[in-house]
């Protein structure tokens, strides 16, 4: 049988349409953490506002680099009278003058503008660092909410089987109606756990979408990731050194010292005398003449003493602020490391011992209860312990990731490989 090219093209179109429809029905693919961070950088309104502020600040460098404009003046007198009027002939004059700055004022203004742009840029990077931390925390919270919902769903489904089995035993006369009702009443707690877990997931999803710049949260929004604690190989001294090199708030503090020093130099320069030099052409009647003028302000009283004194103290204040910022960096890293170490120890205990033990106890007591070897109270206690231990293990893993995000935030580097 021959294969028609037209029929083949039609078949390809149909397959493409079916694939596109299936993809549309499947919804958007779950986001990874890195994808969420990239979207936040591109669409978060706070970051977009900060970017525009940096651009606006950089435009001040143009103003700072401008030179003084010359002044041009034209005047006339008695222009309605004839030129041969001996008592008051008409006259015209043109004057060009310009202020000449001394003390390298333009250079120091440019230094101030450049330093201000650097500080603003570092402040924006610090805002970006804080926003990324919020994205990481919201992403981790949503992962934990998804896992908690899964645990709640599994617990509810498993307990519903127990209720069904107990109803069958009640009908067979193996248990009393009171025992069955006690079992049935416990289901309300599992249902409540599921409803609360679902609410937490919805709220975590909305919080993350808000950080990603989404105007209206979508129910189909989903993420992908794991809460298994990762292993890191960096040591605390290395993280401290990386933090001192990368923290934008500390860099802004150092740049503020440069800005303060430039302000001191400009204040000194502003105390110098700036002469104004001009040239003049004049025509009176039938006579032409030229002249010049030099204007020099006599700075006898005002030599900008106040600004000189103020900027020197501001510069010293900036140096103390830099020391405080450096100490804060080290403290932040040390505290974040301590929190990570504590969270990791708790997670290891649950993952290596308690979670598996709670599962074994629940399975054994469930088997014993169904076969008459355990009491109802023992079985219900085992269910509560299993549920609580699993939630505690999930919270422990979540705290490991949150502490790692805080450590990355404190060091301004990615700690997780």
């Amino acid at each position: 049988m021959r294969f028609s090219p037209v029929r083949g093209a039609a078949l390809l179109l149909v397959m493409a349409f079916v694939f596109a429809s299936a993809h549309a029905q499947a919804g958007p693919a779950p986001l990874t953490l890195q994808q969420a961070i990239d979207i936040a950088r591109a669409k978060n309104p706070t970051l977009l506002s900060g970017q525009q502020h940096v651009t606006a600040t950089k435009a001040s460098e143009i103003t700072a680099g401008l030179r003084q404009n010359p002044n041009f003046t034209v005047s006339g007198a008695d222009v309605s009278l004839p030129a041969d009027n001996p008592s008051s002939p008409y006259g015209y004059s043109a004057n060009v003058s310009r202020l000449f700055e001394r003390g390298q004022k333009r250079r120091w203004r440019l230094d101030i503008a450049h330093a201000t742009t650097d500080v603003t840029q570092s402040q924006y990077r610090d805002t970006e660092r804080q926003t990324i931390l919020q994205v990481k925390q919201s992403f981790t919270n949503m992962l934990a909410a998804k896992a908690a919902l899964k645990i709640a769903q599994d617990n509810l489904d498993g307990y519903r089987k127990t209720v069904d089995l107990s109803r069958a035993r009640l009908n067979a006369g193996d248990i009393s109606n009171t025992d069955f009702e006690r079992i049935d009443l416990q289901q309300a707690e599992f249902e409540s756990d599921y409803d609360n877990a679902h609410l937490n997931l919805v709220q975590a999803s909305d919080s993350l979408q808000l950080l990603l710049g989404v105007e209206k949260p979508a129910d189909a929004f989903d993420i992908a990731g794991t809460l298994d604690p990762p292993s890191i190989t960096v040591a605390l001294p290395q993280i401290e050194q990386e933090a001192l090199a990368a923290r934008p708030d500390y860099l802004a503090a150092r740049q503020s010292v440069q800005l303060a020093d430039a302000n001191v130099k400009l204040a000194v320069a502003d105390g110098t005398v700036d002469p104004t030099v001009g040239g003049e052409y004049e025509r009176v009647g039938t006579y032409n003449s030229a002249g010049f003028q030099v204007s020099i302000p006599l700075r006898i009283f005002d030599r900008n003493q106040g600004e000189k004194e103020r900027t020197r103290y501001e510069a010293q204040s900036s140096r103390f602020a830099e020391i405080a910022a450096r100490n804060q960096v080290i403290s932040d890293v040390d505290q974040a490391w301590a929190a990570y170490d504590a969270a990791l120890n708790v997670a290891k205990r649950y993952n290596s011992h308690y979670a598996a033990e709670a599962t074994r106890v629940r399975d054994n007591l469930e088997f014993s209860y169904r076969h008459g070897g355990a009491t109802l109270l023992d079985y219900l206690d085992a269910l509560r312990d299993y549920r609580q231990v699993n939630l505690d293990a999930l919270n422990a893993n979540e705290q490991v990731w949150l502490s790692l995000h805080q450590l990355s935030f404190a060091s301004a580097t990615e700690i997780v490989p």
Side-chain angles (χ1 to χ4, degrees), residues 24-235:
Q25 293 176 359
L31 295 179
T32 63
L33 176 57
Q34 187 58 51
Q35 290 173 334
I37 292 174
D38 293 340
I39 293 174
R41 282 196 172 107
K43 296 184 177 181
N44 182 276
T46 301
L47 295 184
L48 294 178
S49 174
Q51 292 170 6
Q52 295 302 312
H53 180 62
V54 172
T55 304
T57 304
K58 189 172 180 61
S60 300
E61 298 177 11
I62 300 175
T63 304
L66 297 177
R67 300 180 185 275
Q68 294 293 325
N69 289 322
N71 295 317
F72 177 67
T73 304
V74 177
S75 63
D78 298 327
V79 295
S80 61
L81 300 177
D84 55 356
N85 184 358
S87 61
S88 181
Y90 70 81
Y92 297 95
S93 65
N95 179 278
V96 177
S97 63
R98 182 178 182 273
L99 175 72
F100 290 88
E101 292 184 320
R102 297 175 63 248
Q104 297 182 310
K105 294 182 178 67
R106 178 174 175 270
R107 172 187 174 182
W108 305 131
R109 283 199 303 268
L110 280 171
D111 282 359
I112 290 174
H114 291 150
T116 301
T117 300
D118 292 340
V119 171
T120 305
Q121 179 68 36
S122 296
Q123 290 171 343
Y124 165 74
R125 288 177 53 211
D126 193 54
T127 301
E128 183 183 58
R129 180 176 67 107
Q130 296 173 11
T131 302
I132 290 175
L133 172 63
Q134 294 174 351
V135 171
K136 289 180 177 179
Q137 291 173 335
S138 295
F139 191 93
T140 301
N141 290 336
M142 186 173 175
L143 281 181
K146 287 180 63 177
L149 181 62
K150 179 66 168 54
I151 292 174
Q153 182 67 67
D154 292 343
N155 288 341
L156 180 58
D157 292 342
Y159 195 75
R160 280 172 176 169
K161 294 178 182 178
T162 299
V163 173
D164 293 339
L165 177 61
S166 299
R167 183 177 289 107
R169 293 181 63 186
L170 173 65
N171 295 333
D174 290 343
I175 61 174
S176 66
N177 187 65
T178 300
D179 286 343
F180 171 76
E181 289 179 345
R182 292 178 65 184
I183 295 174
D184 189 52
L185 284 172
Q186 293 298 317
Q187 184 170 310
E189 190 171 349
F190 288 94
E191 292 171 341
S192 178
D193 287 346
Y194 175 83
D195 292 337
N196 291 333
H198 183 267
L199 175 61
N200 291 337
L201 177 58
V202 172
Q203 292 177 337
S205 175
D206 290 352
S207 298
L208 180 56
Q209 293 182 68
L210 177 64
L211 291 170
L212 301 187
V214 177
E215 294 183 2
K216 181 175 177 56
D219 295 335
F221 178 79
D222 195 12
I223 60 175
T226 178
L227 286 176
D228 294 337
S231 58
I232 61 174
T233 57
V234 291

Side-chain angles (χ1 to χ4, degrees), residues 253 256-264 267 306-322:
S256 294
V257 174
Q258 299 174 1
L259 174 59
D261 289 340
N263 275 311
V264 171
E307 280 300 296
K308 292 177 183 177
E309 192 75 5
R310 184 190 67 81
T311 53
R312 289 192 185 99
Y313 282 111
E314 290 290 347
Q316 189 62 29
S317 173
S318 297
R319 289 179 172 82
F320 286 124
E322 179 194 4

Side-chain angles (χ1 to χ4, degrees), residues 130-411:
Q130 296 173 11
T131 302
I132 290 175
L133 172 63
Q134 294 174 351
V135 171
K136 289 180 177 179
Q137 291 173 335
S138 295
F139 191 93
T140 301
N141 290 336
M142 186 173 175
L143 281 181
K146 287 180 63 177
L149 181 62
K150 179 66 168 54
I151 292 174
Q153 182 67 67
D154 292 343
N155 288 341
L156 180 58
D157 292 342
Y159 195 75
R160 280 172 176 169
K161 294 178 182 178
T162 299
V163 173
D164 293 339
L165 177 61
S166 299
R167 183 177 289 107
R169 293 181 63 186
L170 173 65
N171 295 333
D174 290 343
I175 61 174
S176 66
N177 187 65
T178 300
D179 286 343
F180 171 76
E181 289 179 345
R182 292 178 65 184
I183 295 174
D184 189 52
L185 284 172
Q186 293 298 317
Q187 184 170 310
E189 190 171 349
F190 288 94
E191 292 171 341
S192 178
D193 287 346
Y194 175 83
D195 292 337
N196 291 333
H198 183 267
L199 175 61
N200 291 337
L201 177 58
V202 172
Q203 292 177 337
S205 175
D206 290 352
S207 298
L208 180 56
Q209 293 182 68
L210 177 64
L211 291 170
L212 301 187
V214 177
E215 294 183 2
K216 181 175 177 56
D219 295 335
F221 178 79
D222 195 12
I223 60 175
T226 178
L227 286 176
D228 294 337
S231 58
I232 61 174
T233 57
V234 291
L236 178 58
Q238 178 184 348
I239 297 175
E240 290 175 344
Q241 294 304 314
E242 291 177 350
L244 291 174
R247 277 277 289 261
D249 54 340
Y250 178 53
L251 179 59
R254 289 187 293 170
Q255 292 166 339
S256 294
V257 174
Q258 299 174 1
L259 174 59
D261 289 340
N263 275 311
V264 171
K265 294 174 182 177
L266 180 60
V268 173
D270 284 340
T272 60
V273 174
D274 297 331
T276 300
V277 179
E280 184 179 56
Y281 164 77
E282 186 176 23
R283 179 180 177 85
V284 178
T286 58
Y287 298 95
N288 299 318
S289 63
F292 70 91
Q293 61 182 12
V294 178
S295 174
I296 301 176
L298 301 179
R299 307 201 69 166
I300 299 175
F301 304 106
D302 178 10
R303 296 186 299 276
N304 208 36
Q305 303 96 316
E307 280 300 296
K308 292 177 183 177
E309 192 75 5
R310 184 190 67 81
T311 53
R312 289 192 185 99
Y313 282 111
E314 290 290 347
Q316 189 62 29
S317 173
S318 297
R319 289 179 172 82
F320 286 124
E322 179 194 4
I323 296 174
R326 178 186 176 88
N327 295 341
Q328 187 66 53
V329 169
I330 299 299
S331 176
D332 289 347
V333 171
D334 290 348
Q335 292 184 42
W337 179 270
Y340 163 69
D341 189 53
L344 184 62
N345 290 333
V346 175
K348 284 181 177 179
R349 286 197 296 268
Y350 275 100
N351 294 328
S352 63
H353 180 66
Y354 295 124
E357 188 175 54
T359 301
R360 289 195 304 270
V361 171
R362 181 205 62 175
D363 293 343
N364 292 337
L365 284 175
E366 181 179 8
F367 179 84
S368 298
Y369 172 70
R370 290 183 178 181
H371 293 81
T375 65
L376 174 61
L377 291 177
D378 291 337
Y379 174 53
L380 294 178
D381 287 341
L383 284 177
R384 294 190 188 94
D385 292 342
Y386 171 80
R387 181 183 59 184
Q388 189 60 48
V389 168
N390 274 271
L391 289 176
D392 290 343
L394 174 62
N395 291 333
N397 290 343
E398 180 185 10
Q399 288 303 315
V400 171
W401 277 100
L402 291 177
S403 61
L404 280 173
H405 296 329
Q406 189 67 36
L407 187 58
S408 296
F409 171 75
S411 61

